Amino acid sequence: MFPRPPPLSCDTFVALPPAAPGGRVVFGKNSDRPADEVQEVVHFPAAEHPPGCTYISIEQVERTHAVVLSRPAWLWGAEMGANEHGVCIGNEAVWGREEVCDGEALLGMDLVRLGLERADTAEKALSVIVDLLEKYGQGGNCMESNMAFTYHNSFLIADRKEAWVLETSGKYWAAEKVEGGVRNISNQLSITTKIDREHPELKEYAKSNGWWDGEKEFDFAATYSYVNTARMTTSGGRYCEGYKLLNKHKGSITPEIMMEILRDKESGINMEGGFMTTGSMVSVLPQQPNLPCIHFFTGTPDPARSVFKPFIFVPDITQLLKTTSPTFGHDDPVKKQPRFQSKPDRRHELYKKHESAAVVMETIKDKGKEMLKEIQELEKQKISQMESILQNGCFDTKEAVNLFSQCVEEELKIYS
């Protein structure tokens, strides 16, 4: 059964008061995916939807919440996103003792979107995910390729008041409530003995497989994975490096600090190579219900040379055309059987222009430096505007309708 595929993708972070100042929760995630995969940023208003998901159809709820998603352009679900109630979710690939199902079921990314569409708090999103997991299971290829890439999932789910870590092994799961301080997840099970909710057969299943003797204190990560839990925060992996960076800034974690963490290349959190950071997200969730939650997305690879663009939920948001990939309907090779026989060009307009700009940054030193400086200044300006909204407690909803799209236009001008 072992060795498993190497842990290749993603880190998700959350800071709650007092680790984050100003009575705010700060959420962040890097989506690390195949380097040639396009990630789009899309918005879906609250609505009634037909049954969907990437591979299978499931029963739809009567009405879904409005969501903004950062997702690989070929699939239905999302790597990360938020909804109109201030719930944020990011997922990670994890492997352990339980075999990964070869059959097509719900992807972890489908579960991210379903949790956001159906829940108005973090704990309700957790319940949505585990209920669907029990009913439909998880499985299917997580990469747009003939090469199989399958995994189980962990999730970090946050709202204005608290966060939950949910980690799965097949249909079995454990959840840990985070009510203050910092928490991160990466590509390994990390819930040890603090288990606040669990699958009703979690311990009995482990016992029946000889993974736990039923006597010593139950440790989820130690039981369901091969990780030495005593070394998780002291070894040199990304989980450990993320843990260190969060704790280094504990007490002063702002959206800017979270962006800085996501941009960190030395730690491996900002990945480069065949698997790289293809999209990033940072959200600030004020605990005061009268203040808006603000969600920043790049929609482009490598956060070190991307702009985190702000998004606020308001009615009648302008469609995010410049970060939405082309669609191919029934001709999409993901929908046809056998799947993945070809790979269409899924690049959206921002992706194309950013791709060209990245070449300039790498090859024409002076021009590249100037371009990088301009996008950094644009981002600072937007962060300052958002901070003003949070400080003053008021904003123009008419401006917010175009907030993200307008920032994309300004970014495109720099690249042109």
Side-chain angles (χ1 to χ4, degrees):
M1 190 187 301
F2 196 77
R4 288 291 183 195
L8 287 172
S9 56
C10 305
D11 295 273
T12 311
F13 305 88
V14 71
L16 297 93
R24 302 171 185 175
V25 174
V26 181
F27 174 93
K29 174 172 161 67
N30 272 352
S31 170
D32 302 329
R33 303 279 305 168
D36 63 346
E37 184 180 77
V38 177
Q39 193 139 156
E40 59 179 353
V41 179
V42 290
H43 167 257
F44 296 102
E48 296 175 5
H49 294 283
C53 299
T54 301
Y55 297 128
I56 65 171
S57 290
I58 68 169
E59 295 172 6
Q60 186 55 277
V61 291
E62 187 176 338
R63 191 165 178 79
T64 54
H65 304 305
V67 296
V68 60
L69 309 171
S70 185
R71 67 179 188 178
W74 61 273
L75 51 72
W76 181 88
E79 276 279 296
M80 52 203 171
N83 71 19
E84 61 186 305
H85 300 287
V87 179
C88 298
I89 310 178
N91 83 307
E92 311 287 332
V94 290
W95 295 270
R97 293 180 189 268
E98 186 75 348
E99 286 288 349
V100 178
C101 170
D102 289 330
E104 292 182 348
L106 288 175
L107 296 178
M109 292 171 281
D110 292 333
L111 290 165
V112 168
R113 177 171 174 178
L114 289 163
L116 291 170
E117 287 188 340
R118 300 182 178 198
D120 59 3
T121 70
E123 188 170 8
K124 284 181 186 175
L126 185 153
S127 296
V128 166
I129 291 171
V130 299
D131 289 349
L132 290 167
L133 189 63
E134 181 71 25
K135 190 169 184 180
Y136 298 102
Q138 59 182 319
N141 196 357
C142 301
M143 192 160 62
E144 189 183 12
S145 168
N146 278 316
M147 186 177 75
F149 181 52
T150 57
Y151 47 77
H152 294 147
N153 290 268
S154 66
F155 305 86
L156 185 49
I157 312 167
D159 62 24
R160 293 175 184 264
K161 295 180 180 176
E162 63 189 30
W164 285 83
V165 175
L166 168 63
E167 298 185 334
T168 71
S169 182
K171 74 171 185 176
Y172 301 96
W173 56 271
E176 174 191 335
K177 187 177 184 179
V178 186
E179 296 176 271
V182 296
R183 187 68 161 85
N184 65 304
I185 59 172
S186 195
N187 297 116
Q188 61 192 68
L189 299 178
S190 63
I191 295 174
T192 56
T193 57
K194 185 185 184 302
I195 300 173
D196 297 296
R197 288 182 58 181
E198 66 190 67
H199 187 283
E201 298 166 15
L202 180 74
K203 292 172 183 167
E204 193 54 44
Y205 183 73
K207 199 173 171 184
S208 68
N209 279 285
W211 302 340
W212 179 57
D213 61 12
E215 306 250 337
K216 65 184 178 187
E217 185 178 24
F218 184 79
D219 180 320
F220 176 67
T223 304
Y224 274 81
S225 74
Y226 297 91
V227 172
N228 179 345
T229 55
R231 296 185 63 244
M232 282 196 305
T233 57
T234 56
S235 62
R238 284 198 336 274
Y239 174 81
C240 164
E241 294 303 314
Y243 176 85
K244 286 180 186 173
L245 286 168
L246 279 177
N247 280 279
K248 175 184 172 183
H249 296 288
K250 211 169 177 178
S252 60
I253 298 176
T254 60
E256 298 97 308
I257 292 293
M258 190 64 81
M259 291 171 192
E260 185 182 309
I261 291 171
L262 297 183
R263 286 174 165 139
D264 194 284
K265 292 196 174 181
E266 190 177 343
S267 64
I269 288 166
N270 183 5
M271 286 189 74
E272 298 179 283
F275 259 61
M276 70 177 293
T277 300
T278 56
S280 302
M281 168 187 177
V282 168
S283 292
V284 54
L285 316 174
Q287 293 184 318
Q288 304 94 312
N290 62 307
L291 296 177
C293 295
I294 300 171
H295 312 283
F296 297 86
F297 294 93
T298 60
T300 52
D302 186 359
R305 54 187 182 199
S306 294
V307 178
F308 280 91
K309 296 166 280 291
F311 177 99
I312 298 175
F313 281 96
V314 291
D316 305 317
I317 286 168
T318 302
Q319 201 173 350
L320 311 185
L321 295 175
K322 302 291 175 76
T323 58
T324 299
S325 296
T327 56
F328 301 91
H330 295 297
D331 293 327
D332 196 314
V334 174
K335 299 186 186 300
K336 291 181 173 181
Q337 291 282 8
R339 303 193 198 278
F340 310 121
Q341 297 303 294
S342 61
K343 190 182 282 191
D345 185 354
R346 300 188 187 275
R347 294 176 301 163
H348 49 75
E349 186 171 341
L350 179 63
Y351 187 98
K352 289 178 182 177
K353 292 288 176 65
H354 181 270
E355 190 175 43
S356 299
V359 173
V360 172
M361 290 180 199
E362 288 172 6
T363 58
I364 308 174
K365 193 174 179 183
D366 291 342
K367 191 172 180 182
K369 264 184 163 180
E370 184 58 35
M371 195 178 283
L372 187 60
K373 185 181 174 186
E374 285 184 51
I375 65 170
Q376 288 169 344
E377 286 174 356
L378 173 62
E379 181 181 277
K380 282 179 185 174
Q381 177 194 343
K382 297 301 174 183
I383 291 172
S384 178
Q385 287 175 2
M386 295 307 101
E387 183 59 34
S388 178
I389 287 171
L390 293 174
Q391 292 286 347
N392 298 330
C394 62
F395 67 103
D396 187 342
T397 55
K398 289 180 181 176
E399 283 189 18
V401 163
N402 298 304
L403 182 64
F404 185 86
S405 297
Q406 181 58 41
C407 190
V408 169
E409 293 294 349
E410 291 173 53
E411 184 181 358
L412 287 169
K413 278 183 186 175
I414 294 169
Y415 298 149
S416 297

